Amino acid sequence: ETGVTQTPRHLVMGMTNKKSLKCEQHLGHNAMYWYKQSAKKPLELMFVYSLEERVENNSVPSRFSPECPNSSHLFLHLHTLQPEDSALYLCASSQAPGQGGEKLFFGSGTQLSVL
Amino acid sequence: AQSVTQLGSHVSVSEGALVLLRCNYSSSVPPYLFWYVQYPNQGLQLLLKYTSAATLVKGINGFEAEFKKSETSFHLTKPSAHMSDAAEYFCAVSPGPGSARQLTFGSGTQLTVLP
């Protein structure tokens, strides 16, 4: 089993649907991240959780709602998305600062298509 | 403030030829620099990192990169390309240790290896 697992791998949803993306890390890390990867654009950091507390929210629309119930699990709840939200959503984890915390470990991503 | 520029969104090389992927950075503090690789349908994986020690950094799969402060560059090289090297490569910069949430990624370079 890989260190960071994301489900589902693919998701197609209509603009009125509600869905959730799930991420689980088995590395004992205490920081978790959501990134958005769109074609031809740099990775965009969406949210950061450290010790289960949200420490960063990069002006992400409220139709994206993260949840971190414990240090191993991270969710991204989606509702009333727009077609421009179609992208690959990547989850990552890292150690705390001072413990190699500059290195990210990524999951394989969820390819989201909004119709 | 920090930024990364990857020159060339697509690079093609023949199998066995030298691989050179270019990255230039801008940072107001001594940077940490990274190369990540993304194989098809997978998340990003760390290839190598520079953290202010030796300027020539060796990574996995025969890749290496050299930090040149005078040129603000961190180009990625491999002496002999293999078909399995076909992937997208991302250069990234952060302001120091434990700063994964402050990573800035480049737009990526798609490497194609021709038989």
Side-chain angles (χ1 to χ4, degrees), chain B:
Chain B
Q2 57 187 25
S3 66
V4 170
T5 301
Q6 291 185 240
L7 298 175
S9 58
H10 290 85
V11 170
S12 294
V13 300
S14 298
E15 190 173 18
L18 171 72
V19 176
L20 170 61
L21 304 182
R22 299 178 187 275
C23 172
N24 288 90
Y25 70 91
S26 170
S27 178
S28 56
V29 298
Y32 277 23
L33 293 159
F34 306 81
W35 277 99
Y36 282 83
V37 60
Q38 186 176 29
Y39 298 104
N41 302 314
Q42 295 188 29
L44 280 70
Q45 176 184 356
L46 183 66
L47 264 182
L48 50 81
K49 65 178 182 179
Y50 166 77
T51 57
S52 75
T55 57
L56 182 62
V57 181
K58 294 187 184 298
I60 61 173
N61 301 337
F63 284 92
E64 62 182 37
E66 186 172 9
F67 171 69
K68 292 187 176 180
K69 184 178 179 180
S70 61
E71 299 177 7
T72 61
S73 69
F74 190 57
H75 302 330
L76 182 70
T77 61
K78 181 174 180 177
S80 176
H82 192 273
M83 296 297 289
S84 61
D85 295 326
E88 189 152 23
Y89 292 79
F90 295 89
C91 183
V93 60
S94 75
S99 54
R101 60 191 268 197
Q102 296 170 282
L103 266 175
T104 299
F105 286 88
S107 299
T109 297
Q110 182 69 48
L111 176 67
T112 299
V113 181
L114 305 171

Side-chain angles (χ1 to χ4, degrees), chain A residues 31 33 35 45 48 56 93-95 97 100-104, chain B residues 34 36 93-105:
Chain A
Y33 310 73
Y35 281 88
L45 179 62
V48 180
E56 191 140 347
S93 69
S94 74
Q95 296 278 25
E102 67 277 357
K103 179 178 173 180
L104 289 173
Chain B
F34 306 81
Y36 282 83
V93 60
S94 75
S99 54
R101 60 191 268 197
Q102 296 170 282
L103 266 175
T104 299
F105 286 88

